[in-house]
Amino acid sequence: MRRKLALSVFSVVASIGCTSAIANQQPKNVSALDGAERLESAHASYAKGDLKDMGLSIKSVLFSDAEPEVRDNALKLLDRVYNENCDYSFPVDWKLPSLIKGLYMDIGRKVEPEGVFYKTKISGHLNDPDAIQQITVKRYPDTVIADKQAGIGEWELDIDPKDPTDIYFEIATRDSVALTPGLYLIDITTKDGVETKGWFIVSDQLSSASPVVHSPAVGEHFNGTTPAFRWNDFRSPEYKSCESRRLRIFVAKIPSDTWDLRWSYGKNDPAQTSANVGVDGEGTLEPGKYWFTLYYKESRQFGEMELSRRSETSRQFYID
């Protein structure tokens, strides 16, 4: 289990609709007419089977001032290509800074007893806790989703006790409204002064369902400290056959001022639908109140970034 290095929690209630002072990443003087023309070019390239040129044209549409229906049409064309060829590699023209070892974008749907919530999380790995000076994510052109310095989102660092040079970072937001498909900009400044202006496209990454969990039921009481958890195998309605699948379960003790992880379990390409504490996973439980989280991730690459569709179910249970 990882050791918490630092944790700062910020309010995200006012995040939607805010604007950021980071530099605009769109090409200059890209008009609505240019966007419509590039959409025509995208469809023509698709018809010819030139998917690289199609992708470049879609990028131009999304970076333009085109009308919403034009931009939506470009996203639908991209979805069609992914349905026909899930391994399609979109032409991405930006790379990660050298101080970041992997970058992941999780777009999650989470079912809790209180309702359905949505979590957007950018995460990755560093070998220096001070490597990232600033990171912002916004929906094009100026709707801020996360901003480290402005305190929009939860910024977290965890260090691996087995390898102190493996530092996990994330910045995450939680909302009752789902992320809107479209073009997103990510701006990263690292301690060596390198500024990376990246972008990615959200199309079908939002799940429309969450896993069914049979045990623990909401508020269930277990008599022993080695409960058995059961759930249904899960693939979201948006899942595509080429996407990698991962299952993770976390059990944390509550109440606690920090994330108090007590047991965890995970599988890649999962097929099983049950796990027993004491036999499977890592960690132990004791009498008390716990928070159970189970999620499936379905992922594919976008350049050097991994885009994931996360479907999650969470609830409380008790060990007497």
Side-chain angles (χ1 to χ4, degrees), residues 286-300:
E286 60 192 29
K289 184 178 181 181
Y290 291 88
W291 187 252
F292 172 93
T293 296
L294 178 149
Y295 68 81
Y296 283 82
K297 285 175 66 172
E298 300 160 341
S299 307
R300 66 171 178 253

Side-chain angles (χ1 to χ4, degrees), residues 237-304:
E238 293 75 21
Y239 171 72
K240 294 177 175 58
S241 60
C242 78
E243 294 174 332
S244 64
R245 294 175 66 239
R246 281 168 277 181
L247 164 68
R248 296 292 184 269
I249 303 175
F250 298 106
V251 174
K253 188 79 179 291
I254 53 177
S256 176
D257 293 334
T258 60
W259 175 252
D260 187 4
L261 180 65
R262 295 300 183 91
W263 182 85
S264 63
Y265 177 76
K267 285 288 184 180
N268 295 334
D269 300 318
Q272 72 287 351
T273 56
S274 65
N276 286 70
V277 177
V279 177
D280 305 302
E282 297 181 2
T284 59
L285 303 182
E286 60 192 29
K289 184 178 181 181
Y290 291 88
W291 187 252
F292 172 93
T293 296
L294 178 149
Y295 68 81
Y296 283 82
K297 285 175 66 172
E298 300 160 341
S299 307
R300 66 171 178 253
Q301 290 296 125
F302 188 87
E304 294 184 337

Side-chain angles (χ1 to χ4, degrees), residues 48-157:
K48 293 187 296 184
D50 188 347
L51 298 186
K52 180 178 180 180
D53 189 69
M54 179 209 70
L56 294 172
S57 295
I58 288 176
K59 175 193 171 186
S60 295
V61 173
L62 297 178
F63 270 102
S64 76
D65 294 327
E67 295 297 322
E69 56 267 25
V70 174
R71 298 160 64 84
D72 290 344
N73 188 289
L75 290 176
K76 289 177 181 177
L77 176 60
L78 181 58
D79 282 344
R80 180 175 179 179
V81 171
Y82 280 130
N83 282 322
E84 296 171 348
N85 178 16
C86 181
D87 285 321
Y88 171 60
S89 180
F90 198 93
V92 179
D93 58 2
W94 64 278
K95 294 184 177 296
L96 295 179
S98 61
L99 295 182
I100 296 181
K101 313 300 181 184
L103 190 65
Y104 312 94
M105 176 71 179
D106 284 5
I107 302 171
R109 179 185 192 270
K110 182 175 186 178
V111 171
E112 297 180 357
E114 295 78 13
V116 178
F117 300 91
Y118 300 92
K119 183 177 181 179
T120 301
K121 180 176 73 173
I122 289 279
S123 63
H125 290 269
L126 314 166
N127 55 22
D128 182 338
D130 298 319
I132 295 180
Q133 299 299 302
Q134 169 67 324
I135 181 169
T136 60
V137 181
K138 64 177 181 176
R139 187 177 188 275
Y140 180 85
D142 56 11
T143 300
V144 174
I145 306 302
D147 186 318
K148 178 178 181 289
Q149 292 183 3
I152 300 174
E154 297 181 6
W155 172 254
E156 181 177 322
L157 292 176

Side-chain angles (χ1 to χ4, degrees), residues 4 68 167-168 260 312:
K4 190 65 62 65
I167 301 166
Y168 170 83
D260 187 4
E312 182 172 323

